[in-house]
Amino acid sequence: MPGIFNFPYLKLKSILTVSEQPQQLGANHHYQQAQTYLLLYIKSGQVILEGPSNYIINPNELLIVPTDKQVNFAASVPETIALHLIFQAESTALNDLSYHTFSIADDTLLTQISQESQEIAILRSRKPEIAHDVEIGEFFTVSCALLYADVTRLLLTLSEQTIKTRLPESVITEQPSPDRSLITTKQQLAYSKTISGTLYKNLLINQIITYMHQNLDQALTIDLIAQEFLVGSANLKKIFKQETGTSIMTYFKTIKMDTAKEWLAGHQKSITEIANQLGFSSSHHFSTAFKKSTGLSPTDYYKRLIAIK
């Protein structure tokens, strides 16, 4: 799910995973993905995280680490419960937030994020119903928007705490900061409804484009995408064409061809590997599609790049 609450200071692009569950002793979790972050909050027990540096995370502590290099975490004591959130965002503030352990005095917002994620998962399990029910589909969209708003709020609050440690005392007033947890779900929902038309379209298109990038190896169809994003096929085609100016499957094919060009230019993958990773049944089918798109076979395209260099 890509984000729509993209402030210039912090652009939350995508929430890939939100999971709160007991951690079994001896069960090691590992994750690695470029331009992605892992947020780990310990509700009870203790977790050891291994990566470029090692950390022991205790109850009511939160840690954010980039996952460009593999990170591993596991419970070190029984009855450990952890919330982990994997997300993609753009902000220089993330450099300050990374590898810094935060003590969380009030985990209301984290609990709310976990609950919202569970509600979204339940809605996703009702795809056949949602595909034919505009109101439930809109409720799903608003639920996603609330999740993004709360994760954005969490990251901005942590950033605020970090910045305050660098400010002179004369700048920081004695008055307590407003309690952001008092901003209720009803208030957020009321706001979201006032912009639901634009909200729905922006969120839906962003979600689909990110989903395409994450599933380049799949033979996606309009029906499959419609089921994944809880919207009717006809409505999906109409909205996507209105927002992007092209059909949904043409857009997906363009992403695949642009990715193929990047991989050919990098000379890091063979034509067979590119064909497999872009969901083609054979290198021949890939070469045919590539030539139809560019006017050149993959081999000739690469030779032209070399000649230009």
Side-chain angles (χ1 to χ4, degrees), residues 1-7 10-18 85-89 109 112-113 116-117 120 124 140-156 188 199 203 206-207 210 214:
M1 300 176 292
I4 60 167
F5 293 94
N6 288 336
F7 305 106
L10 173 66
K11 295 183 178 181
L12 181 60
K13 298 171 62 178
S14 184
I15 297 174
L16 303 180
T17 302
V18 181
L85 189 154
I86 298 171
F87 67 95
Q88 295 173 331
L109 186 55
Q112 187 165 308
I113 288 170
E116 289 166 350
S117 175
I120 290 170
R124 280 189 177 279
F140 168 81
T141 302
V142 172
S143 298
C144 291
L146 293 177
L147 175 62
Y148 271 82
D150 285 337
V151 173
T152 299
R153 180 180 296 109
L154 173 63
L155 295 174
L156 290 174
Q188 294 171 341
L199 174 65
L203 183 58
N206 286 339
Q207 284 180 343
T210 294
Q214 293 172 347

Side-chain angles (χ1 to χ4, degrees), residues 196-297:
S196 60
T198 301
L199 174 65
Y200 178 77
K201 290 181 180 180
N202 288 344
L203 183 58
L204 180 64
I205 298 305
N206 286 339
Q207 284 180 343
I208 290 172
I209 291 174
T210 294
Y211 182 74
M212 287 177 177
H213 281 283
Q214 293 172 347
N215 290 275
L216 290 174
D217 61 336
Q218 301 298 314
L220 298 180
T221 65
I222 292 175
D223 288 341
L224 285 174
I225 296 173
Q227 290 175 11
E228 178 67 24
F229 290 97
L230 318 177
V231 61
S233 298
N235 196 29
L236 171 60
K237 290 191 288 186
K238 179 181 178 181
I239 293 174
F240 198 94
K241 184 68 177 288
Q242 287 176 341
E243 295 298 306
T244 66
T246 188
S247 71
I248 189 167
M249 297 316 298
T250 298
Y251 198 100
F252 187 42
K253 291 175 183 176
T254 300
I255 292 176
K256 287 193 175 190
M257 292 301 103
D258 288 345
T259 302
K261 292 175 186 176
E262 292 177 8
W263 289 347
L264 286 169
H267 196 49
Q268 297 175 340
K269 303 176 188 292
S270 68
I271 292 177
T272 300
E273 289 174 330
I274 293 174
N276 290 336
Q277 293 179 28
L278 292 181
F280 289 91
S281 58
S282 68
S283 56
H284 173 72
H285 288 157
F286 163 66
S287 297
T288 300
F290 190 88
K291 187 170 185 178
K292 183 177 180 181
S293 173
T294 66
L296 296 170
S297 69

Side-chain angles (χ1 to χ4, degrees), residues 134-179:
V134 175
E135 291 182 353
I136 297 179
E138 185 171 308
F139 180 71
F140 168 81
T141 302
V142 172
S143 298
C144 291
L146 293 177
L147 175 62
Y148 271 82
D150 285 337
V151 173
T152 299
R153 180 180 296 109
L154 173 63
L155 295 174
L156 290 174
T157 300
L158 296 175
S159 182
E160 179 187 45
Q161 292 179 18
T162 303
I163 294 170
K164 279 186 175 181
T165 63
R166 304 196 298 265
L167 293 176
E169 293 184 2
S170 58
V171 175
I172 303 174
T173 63
E174 294 297 325
Q175 296 180 352
S177 300
D179 185 355

